[in-house]
């Protein structure tokens, strides 16, 4: 099983607490985290709670997302040593989009910048 497949099969619920911890440690809120997740995926907070409770994997999380934000392609830069815009696997790129948004939130970027408005 390659690394991508392992990541795709990880449950969103297993990573979510790390996202919360990362942003809260830097003085940001869970509401802001939810805003970022909702912006990227089109889910609402109720959907996110259900996804966590049902232990949905990342593959299904993104496959069933109501609407990947049309501005997601504006998320660029490096995450985990990879340039996001050069990641060929669409699902891995979407996962890295989310990672990058969480990073930007934790680094104190303004919401308008994070949400590419």
């Amino acid at each position: 099983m390659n690394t991508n497949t392992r990541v795709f099969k990880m449950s969103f619920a297993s990573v979510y607490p790390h996202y919360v911890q990362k942003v809260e440690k830097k003085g940001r809120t869970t509401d802001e985290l939810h805003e970022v997740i909702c912006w990227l995926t089109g889910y609402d907070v109720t959907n996110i709670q259900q996804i966590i409770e049902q232990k949905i994997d990342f593959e299904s999380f993104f496959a069933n997302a109501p609407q990947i934000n049309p501005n997601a392609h504006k998320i660029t830069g490096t995450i985990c040593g990879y340039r996001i815009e050069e990641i060929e696997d669409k699902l891995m790129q979407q996962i890295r989009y989310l990672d990058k948004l969480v990073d930007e939130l934790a680094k104190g970027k303004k919401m308008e910048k994070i949400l590419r408005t």
Side-chain angles (χ1 to χ4, degrees):
M1 185 182 286
N2 74 25
T3 307
N4 285 2
T5 310
R6 266 205 333 267
V7 172
F8 298 165
K9 295 299 177 196
M10 284 172 56
S11 74
F12 178 78
S14 70
V15 178
Y16 177 79
H18 299 286
Y19 291 155
V20 171
Q21 183 181 22
K22 184 173 194 168
V23 302
E24 286 183 344
K25 194 168 70 179
K26 298 290 188 167
R28 300 307 283 259
T29 66
T30 305
D31 287 345
E32 288 175 308
L33 174 62
H34 290 163
E35 187 178 343
V36 164
I37 295 169
C38 295
W39 176 86
L40 178 62
T41 62
Y43 287 120
D44 62 29
V45 176
T46 306
N47 299 140
I48 294 169
Q49 280 311 126
Q50 292 167 341
I51 288 162
I52 292 167
E53 288 164 16
Q54 296 168 9
K55 298 189 176 5
I56 303 292
D57 64 24
F58 271 105
E59 191 167 21
S60 301
F61 176 81
F62 281 104
N64 298 320
Q67 159 96 40
I68 297 299
N69 193 292
N71 286 332
H73 70 278
K74 294 181 179 178
I75 303 168
T76 59
T78 310
I79 191 89
C80 300
Y82 296 97
R83 291 213 57 83
I84 294 174
E85 56 273 28
E86 294 173 3
I87 297 173
E88 291 184 15
D89 185 287
K90 184 176 178 233
L91 176 57
M92 183 54 79
Q93 188 177 49
Q94 290 171 339
I95 292 168
R96 295 306 183 199
Y97 282 160
L98 181 55
D99 290 343
K100 184 70 172 178
L101 293 175
V102 171
D103 270 8
E104 290 178 352
L105 185 61
K107 286 179 180 160
K109 264 195 162 182
K110 287 184 165 46
M111 250 347 194
E112 316 73 84
K113 295 268 189 221
I114 296 170
L115 303 183
R116 274 73 178 166
T117 52

